[in-house]
Amino acid sequence: MDTLLELLNSRSLVDGEVRDALDDPAEGSRWARERGGDGSPEELALLRRARDTLGDVVRGESPPTALGPLLEGVRRIPEITPDGLRWTIETPPHARLAVEAVLAWAATEEELPGRLRPCANDACCLFLLDRSRANRGRWCSMALCGNRAKARRHYERNR
């Protein structure tokens, strides 16, 4: 799930400016290699496509079937080990991180349905995975987006 959130949040707003960790070839390559990828231009293009499609699916702007093309050519192979059954994912090397993110999204939807969501701050483009018992988390960061939203509401009430 870490790869999923890290990919979704690889584009952020900082002081009103969009920063994309995958746009710059050197920075994007480093980002991918730190997560076990090869950092190739082909991998970065696929990661950007996966991030955008996953974001649209999480926001409800696209159906989950939109993720299908990201899984083309991927095979899941069962292997019996002394510890039991293990599944191995077979995919082209440049597609591994994108495929892992899509599979993490599927696992999240199965295990924690409705918990992966965009930040409720309209000026933020980050996502959060709500692990609270009440499933009421709204902001990527209470210190940043949550406090800003509460301060804005307070200002509007007292105006």
Side-chain angles (χ1 to χ4, degrees), residues 109-128:
E109 285 301 298
E110 187 176 309
E111 297 165 17
L112 302 166
R115 299 282 182 140
L116 178 64
R117 59 180 74 112
C119 180
N121 180 355
D122 293 334
C124 180
C125 61
L126 298 179
F127 291 81
L128 66 125

Side-chain angles (χ1 to χ4, degrees), residues 11-20 121 123-126 144-145 148:
R11 183 185 308 138
S12 61
L13 279 174
V14 179
D15 298 326
E17 182 182 318
V18 176
R19 296 219 178 127
D20 188 340
N121 180 355
C124 180
C125 61
L126 298 179
L144 297 174
C145 290
R148 287 179 187 156

Side-chain angles (χ1 to χ4, degrees), residues 34-155:
E34 286 172 356
R35 288 154 184 84
D38 61 17
S40 68
E42 189 177 24
E43 179 180 48
L44 294 179
L46 188 58
L47 284 169
R48 285 190 294 271
R49 191 169 126 220
R51 176 191 58 204
D52 295 344
T53 305
L54 281 163
D56 289 347
V57 169
V58 171
R59 283 189 219 89
E61 297 167 0
S62 293
T65 55
L67 297 167
L70 296 167
L71 298 175
E72 286 178 9
V74 174
R75 293 181 353 143
R76 227 172 105 167
I77 303 164
E79 178 184 348
I80 300 294
T81 69
D83 298 325
L85 180 66
R86 185 178 77 183
W87 290 91
T88 303
I89 304 299
E90 188 176 280
T91 183
H94 76 278
R96 190 182 60 74
L97 286 177
V99 167
E100 283 180 4
V102 173
L103 295 176
W105 167 82
T108 300
E109 285 301 298
E110 187 176 309
E111 297 165 17
L112 302 166
R115 299 282 182 140
L116 178 64
R117 59 180 74 112
C119 180
N121 180 355
D122 293 334
C124 180
C125 61
L126 298 179
F127 291 81
L128 66 125
L129 182 59
D130 183 2
R131 291 186 168 106
S132 70
R133 176 175 278 157
N135 190 22
R136 297 180 75 183
R138 299 181 56 204
W139 298 286
C140 63
S141 164
M142 188 60 193
L144 297 174
C145 290
N147 281 343
R148 287 179 187 156
K150 289 179 177 188
R152 198 169 24 254
R153 282 197 311 263
H154 177 74
Y155 175 77

